[in-house]
Amino acid sequence: MSGLVLGLGDLSASMLPQVGGKAANLGELLAAGLPVPEGFCLTTEAYVQAVGPLGLAEVHEALRDTPADDLDALAGLAARARSLITSAELPTAVAGEVLAAYRALDGVPVAVRSSATAEDLPFASFAGQQDTYLNVIDAVALLDAVRKCWASLWTDRAVAYRASRNIDPATVALAVVVQRMVDAEAAGVMFTANPVTGRRREAVIDASPGLGEAVVSGAVNPDHFVVDTASGAILQRRLGDKRTAVRPLPGGGTEHVDQGAGADQARADTPCLTDAQIRELAALGSKAEVHYGAPQDTEWALDGGGRLWLTQSRPITTLYPVPSKAPARRGPGDELRVYLCFSLAQGLTRPLTPMGLAALRQIGSSVTAAAGFDVPDRRGGPPPYVEAGQRIFVDLTAAARSTVGRRIIPSVFDIMEARSAKVLRSVFDDPRLSITRRTPWGLLKHVVPVAVRFRIPEAALRALVRPEAALKRLNRFTTEFNATLELPGGASPRQRLAHAEDILSRLFPNLPAVLPLAGLGFAMLGLAGKLLGAGKLFGAGKDGAGSNSNTDLQPVLRGLPNNVTTEMDLELWRVATSIKADPDSVAVLTGHAPAVLAHRFAAGELPAAAQTGLAGFLALYGHRAVAEIDVGMPRWRDDPAHILGVLANYLRLEDPERAPDRQFSKAAAEAEAQIERLVAEARSRGRLRAVAVRAALRRARLFAGLRELPKFQIVLALAEVRKQLAEVGAVLAEQKRLARADDIFFLDFAEAQQALDGADMQDLVAQRQGAYYLELERRHIPRMLLSDGTEPETLLTDGGTAAGALSGSPASAGTVTAPARVILDPVGAHLEPGEILVAPSTDPGWTPLFLTAGGLVMEMGGPNSHGAVVAREYGIPAVVGVADATSLLSTGQEVTVDGGAGTVVPRA
């Protein structure tokens, strides 16, 4: 065979550009010795030769000039491309080779399938967008099926998909696979890992009589089997009614046959596969998985002689990768590990850059070492640190197997991220995670020395007695620490790189300086609750009907002082207020895109009020950013487009009563009034109790807002780290070791050092950037993973919520009904005043949007998570920890948010 037509046995993964994903995968299956029906492949060169003279170049050019959201125009161009292809004859050379290869198969019925160069690949989640033709039985029909396969590269859906991802239409091509049809007694699909729970080594098989098209298309309720591939045990067996079958027609093509009901109950009660066949099929899937090194989505068929065949195989694109880092020491029964997604806990759904991960590994190592734990490789991160999907996970196995860990960690997450707490408790029920440590001494031997070394009990006691003096000491500490971050001018690239690592290694003292005071604030709130006999701090009281307003402690946390995030948001509002008084600034900010405004700001060309106002804000808060824990993300001072977009949103706010500074002052006044009510209630039970309640609540307000300060300090340090790395990157770009200065954020510290030593890192960076941008498309990030791939959250069952309502954790009391605005990325987002912000999670980079929001719904978070705290301070109703909110709600849909009950009710 020539380069136009190749036998399946001659194909391999290295030939993807010539034969496409489906054909390459079939060649790999054959190479692995797996049963695949014989056949051949028309290469992409055959497609190029056939369509070259047809005028598709004009269509390609028109598609490049068509916006991705102009679906009607895209559909028109797609139809033109299909018409050009289907109306033309195959070139003589191509047709001759196809027919010769077909005759070599003895003219048996064949299946003709498309094989795209970007299909059936990891992350290419559009498999099936091109066509398949079954039971093709003569030469004329074969050539027609080939043309139709080529034309299916230009369906409306495929064209729109490529446009949305900026794929150049001239670069796509299609190969075609022709295979002997299996005369199938039964057929279907098999996943070699469970696609619902994520569990590896658990094959999921769907089977139905006849051709597999019935299962693939969803036309039948198939038999369903789940197999433990390690033991061969059939874990689940659910028989479908199998009322519809796809059968071949004598003259070619297929038909859907209704197999009836009632009298055919015996057929429904008889499985398509015997237990032996189920296990044999699962074993074939395991071999395919081992060959590819990843779980596979396969299609299979059982012929009349009882032989099983694999007809397709591709990676399962929806599985979240399992952390690969093994624990340093493993004891008996330690095979199962429990991983918590730290990235999500920080409000970060996007992947981190390689340098961002490297920086956090260093911070984690310094914190862990300061606590007295052994950290063999500081650049590699502490032992519990693992990565998966370019996100950070923490190995909680040791805590899950200790009595102290089981008490403390879920309790912390009850406040910080309530749904994670529920998932954790469900994991604790797994018998594979039996308790192995029953005393607290292992924890205390690390905690007590740290508390003594940093004089934490003394600091807490002094703050209790003289709170204002404690705040002054804290301010002095942060000022002095921040002064040590800057590097004197004239430093060499190597000195800058070393300084960046040094900053990361000495951030730990910020934690014992700040966290005891913030913790004291919440402890005082809890003490006041005890003295008042109040129920829960958030949501309903003990009777479940809602706590009495006089014993509701939640309003005390509104309008908190000493919260750096709130201060930042109000400062931005003050900038917007000054801009609003200048008509020229208003016209410019509301009349141009944020990216254009950012360019004009950098050039000093904004109107004076806008230029000076934004410059002043960035001088104070320019070190912050969306996804700011990633040192690879531009800071606001690097790119202020997001802030300019938020300012434009603020300028749309016309109701003076909704002005954020007025709302904040109102919230603070309500908090003070609530304190007086609570003190009066306590006085009815004794003067001393009233004095204690007042003192506790005053300290709660003074200190609770400090919970935002540790992250503020870390982000300030990360901004300096980024600044130094950017300088190093500029030198490496000048020396041609990197293509661009910012490419340094796709290296780690060791690799940056190698680049300074002369290594060319451009290829490595390009590879990393490709993986990073693919990972950006992932929508579902698990809160928790087990080492066998299971996502424990998928096994939870929720109940008790009214029909149609979504449930979460109460975060900020109040009820609001308004249109929802689903926002996945705050950069460039538009939020109309009063709309309900629906987001996956939030970090401080999101909070400027809160100022004009009518309510907040988040998929992540708990009553004391960042978003909940800020929502309370602004007095907007909020519910957090609402699973899949961004998928279940849509922009413009009217919803009612009850922040006290923790419910979100969409209008029907």
Side-chain angles (χ1 to χ4, degrees):
M1 295 185 186
S2 73
L4 299 179
V5 175
L6 299 173
L8 294 183
D10 299 325
L11 309 183
S12 67
S14 65
M15 301 172 69
L16 175 66
Q18 293 100 331
V19 301
K22 189 177 279 94
N25 286 342
L26 291 172
E28 288 290 326
L29 290 176
L30 283 167
L34 290 163
V36 174
E38 64 267 36
F40 58 90
C41 173
L42 282 78
T43 65
T44 54
E45 178 60 28
Y47 169 85
V48 171
Q49 285 192 23
V51 304
L54 303 182
L56 275 183
E58 295 178 9
V59 177
H60 296 163
E61 189 62 35
L63 285 169
R64 292 190 196 98
D65 295 336
T66 303
D69 58 355
D70 191 346
L71 298 182
D72 289 340
L74 292 174
L77 291 168
R80 183 179 167 195
R82 293 195 301 272
S83 176
L84 288 171
I85 293 171
T86 55
S87 62
E89 294 294 329
L90 268 66
T92 302
V94 175
E97 293 206 25
V98 170
L99 295 179
Y102 178 55
R103 286 193 293 271
L105 293 177
D106 296 327
V108 298
V110 293
V112 183
R113 296 185 174 95
S114 62
S115 181
T117 53
E119 189 183 33
D120 300 314
L121 300 176
F123 290 97
S125 56
F126 55 100
Q129 287 190 1
Q130 283 79 50
D131 287 348
T132 292
Y133 298 91
L134 302 177
N135 195 37
V136 177
I137 61 172
D138 61 42
V140 174
L142 173 59
L143 296 180
D144 186 52
V146 168
R147 278 193 300 270
K148 289 178 179 177
C149 278
W150 285 341
S152 73
L153 186 60
W154 301 98
T155 62
D156 295 355
R157 179 180 170 216
V159 168
Y161 183 95
R162 293 194 292 267
S164 70
R165 282 153 178 77
N166 295 314
I167 299 174
D168 186 346
T171 63
V172 297
L174 192 73
V176 178
V177 173
V178 179
Q179 275 183 291
R180 177 181 60 81
M181 278 282 294
V182 177
D183 186 11
E185 288 291 314
V189 298
M190 171 177 58
F191 294 91
T192 66
N194 194 312
V196 176
T197 67
R199 186 168 185 174
R200 273 47 165 191
R201 306 205 70 181
E202 194 169 88
V204 177
I205 299 168
D206 285 344
S208 186
L211 302 178
E213 177 65 18
V215 177
V216 174
S217 66
V220 68
N221 181 18
D223 291 346
H224 180 79
F225 309 100
V226 179
V227 184
D228 183 329
T229 56
S231 66
I234 300 173
L235 305 176
Q236 291 182 34
R237 187 194 310 271
R238 185 179 68 243
L239 301 186
D241 56 33
K242 304 182 285 289
R243 289 190 56 181
T244 299
V246 176
R247 301 285 187 184
L249 289 168
T254 61
E255 64 175 344
H256 284 66
V257 178
D258 185 347
Q259 303 194 108
D264 294 304
Q265 185 62 43
R267 183 202 65 249
D269 292 339
T270 303
C272 293
L273 299 173
T274 66
D275 286 3
Q277 289 168 337
I278 292 168
R279 294 188 179 96
E280 182 184 352
L281 182 56
L284 289 177
S286 294
K287 290 179 181 178
E289 178 177 316
V290 169
H291 178 75
Y292 285 108
Q296 296 292 296
D297 168 3
T298 68
E299 295 180 22
W300 58 270
L302 175 72
D303 67 21
R307 185 176 183 186
L308 286 164
W309 300 88
L310 296 181
T311 57
Q312 288 195 56
S313 184
R314 54 180 168 259
I316 304 175
T317 60
T318 56
L319 290 177
Y320 197 85
V322 176
S324 57
K325 180 179 176 182
R329 294 184 293 272
R330 288 178 79 164
D334 269 356
E335 292 81 8
L336 187 69
R337 314 297 299 178
V338 181
Y339 302 111
L340 177 80
C341 187
F342 177 82
S343 291
L344 275 186
Q346 288 296 309
L348 189 62
T349 57
R350 63 185 295 144
L352 282 85
T353 60
M355 189 62 81
L357 291 167
L360 291 172
R361 287 197 298 268
Q362 294 258 29
I363 294 173
S365 294
S366 68
V367 172
T368 306
F373 290 93
D374 182 33
V375 183
D377 176 14
R378 293 208 172 194
R379 282 181 170 174
Y385 176 101
V386 294
E387 295 170 6
Q390 300 172 46
R391 295 168 180 86
I392 299 172
F393 285 76
V394 178
D395 188 339
L396 291 183
T397 309
R401 306 193 73 170
S402 74
T403 53
V404 174
R406 290 192 175 198
R407 283 198 301 267
I408 293 176
I409 294 180
S411 299
V412 170
F413 276 98
D414 280 333
I415 297 174
M416 300 305 300
E417 217 292 297
R419 189 163 178 85
S420 290
K422 185 175 182 180
V423 177
L424 263 173
R425 290 188 173 99
S426 72
V427 168
F428 294 163
D429 294 334
D430 193 314
R432 295 174 294 175
L433 291 170
S434 58
I435 292 176
T436 57
R437 180 171 294 175
R438 301 183 181 278
T439 67
W441 303 120
L443 177 65
L444 291 175
K445 74 177 183 180
H446 294 286
V447 172
V448 171
V450 172
V452 171
R453 187 186 328 145
F454 290 94
R455 304 169 72 177
I456 291 176
E458 177 187 341
L461 182 61
R462 290 166 65 184
L464 189 61
V465 176
R466 299 182 59 198
E468 286 79 8
L471 290 173
K472 289 180 180 178
R473 284 193 299 273
L474 177 59
N475 183 63
R476 187 166 57 249
F477 167 83
T478 56
T479 301
E480 292 173 353
F481 179 85
N482 295 344
T484 69
L485 297 177
E486 294 188 15
L487 183 66
S492 69
R494 294 181 191 278
Q495 289 172 325
R496 292 184 185 279
L497 191 61
H499 182 64
E501 285 202 87
D502 177 63
I503 290 174
L504 298 171
S505 68
R506 53 187 177 86
L507 289 178
F508 177 74
N510 283 277
L511 301 182
V514 182
L515 288 180
L517 299 186
L520 179 62
F522 286 100
M524 290 294 99
L525 191 71
L527 174 62
K530 292 287 187 182
L531 292 171
L532 291 162
K536 297 180 179 179
L537 301 187
F538 307 100
K542 291 179 181 178
D543 61 359
S547 55
N548 184 285
S549 62
N550 285 342
T551 58
D552 187 359
L553 295 172
Q554 192 183 104
V556 174
L557 297 179
R558 289 185 170 174
L560 287 175
N562 304 316
N563 185 321
V564 288
T565 302
T566 305
E567 292 166 0
M568 175 189 75
D569 295 340
L570 291 174
E571 177 63 25
L572 187 60
W573 173 253
R574 283 189 282 271
V575 172
T577 302
S578 65
I579 290 173
K580 205 166 190 177
D582 178 44
D584 289 343
S585 293
V586 172
V588 170
L589 261 65
T590 57
H592 295 85
V596 174
L597 295 172
H599 180 76
R600 292 183 62 175
F601 172 76
E605 297 174 354
L606 291 179
Q611 187 78 28
T612 57
L614 180 57
F617 175 82
L618 294 178
L620 295 172
Y621 300 107
H623 64 282
R624 307 218 73 165
V626 174
E628 60 191 0
I629 66 169
D630 183 355
V631 74
M633 293 296 292
R635 308 292 109 171
W636 287 339
R637 67 167 60 100
D638 300 328
D639 180 6
H642 171 54
I643 293 301
L644 285 160
V646 173
L647 282 172
N649 281 342
Y650 286 179
L651 295 177
R652 297 187 184 95
L653 186 62
E654 297 178 354
D655 183 359
E657 289 303 313
R658 293 189 59 82
D661 53 350
R662 194 169 297 187
Q663 293 275 47
F664 184 80
S665 297
K666 179 182 176 183
E670 289 174 352
E672 294 297 332
Q674 183 72 349
I675 288 177
E676 294 304 319
R677 285 193 291 270
L678 295 171
V679 170
E681 179 178 317
R683 190 176 293 117
S684 67
R685 301 168 63 182
R687 292 182 58 189
L688 186 59
R689 185 181 295 265
V691 170
V693 167
R694 182 182 297 277
L697 293 180
R698 291 292 181 203
R699 284 157 179 76
R701 281 191 58 76
L702 274 177
F703 294 136
L706 294 173
R707 76 173 292 281
E708 296 286 306
L709 187 57
K711 187 173 185 180
F712 183 91
Q713 287 293 107
I714 290 172
V715 170
L716 187 68
L718 288 176
E720 184 63 26
V721 170
R722 178 180 171 83
K723 175 183 173 183
Q724 299 302 328
L725 290 171
E727 294 285 351
V728 176
V731 171
L732 292 174
E734 185 178 333
Q735 296 173 346
K736 307 300 182 185
R737 276 67 175 281
L738 296 175
R740 293 166 296 276
D742 280 355
D743 286 352
I744 193 170
F745 298 110
F746 286 88
L747 304 176
D748 60 24
F749 286 98
E751 291 159 352
Q753 184 67 57
Q754 292 170 23
L756 287 174
D757 291 339
D760 185 341
M761 293 294 181
Q762 294 193 46
D763 288 345
L764 177 62
V765 166
Q767 177 186 343
R768 294 242 177 101
Q769 287 175 336
Y772 176 80
Y773 292 123
L774 285 172
E775 192 61 42
L776 273 174
E777 295 191 7
R778 190 187 296 277
R779 283 291 308 277
H780 172 67
I781 316 299
R783 284 174 166 84
M784 195 168 298
L785 270 178
L786 302 184
S787 54
D788 64 4
T790 301
E791 296 182 25
E793 188 174 7
T794 64
L795 305 178
L796 289 181
T797 55
D798 294 314
T801 305
L806 310 180
S807 64
S809 298
S812 180
T815 302
V816 62
T817 299
R821 174 75 64 169
V822 178
I823 297 179
L824 302 179
D825 185 343
V827 178
H830 175 80
L831 182 72
E832 287 290 340
E835 287 184 325
I836 293 169
L837 172 60
V838 181
S841 60
T842 63
D843 66 5
W846 285 74
T847 57
L849 292 173
F850 287 24
L851 292 183
T852 56
L856 173 68
V857 177
M858 293 194 329
E859 292 180 335
M860 297 293 296
N864 200 27
S865 61
H866 167 80
V869 169
V870 177
R872 283 196 297 274
E873 295 196 12
Y874 295 150
I876 62 175
V879 180
V880 299
V882 182
D884 301 320
T886 60
S887 300
L888 297 173
L889 302 176
S890 57
T891 293
Q893 182 179 20
E894 191 165 274
V895 300
T896 298
V897 175
D898 187 334
T903 60
V904 180
V905 182
R907 173 172 286 185

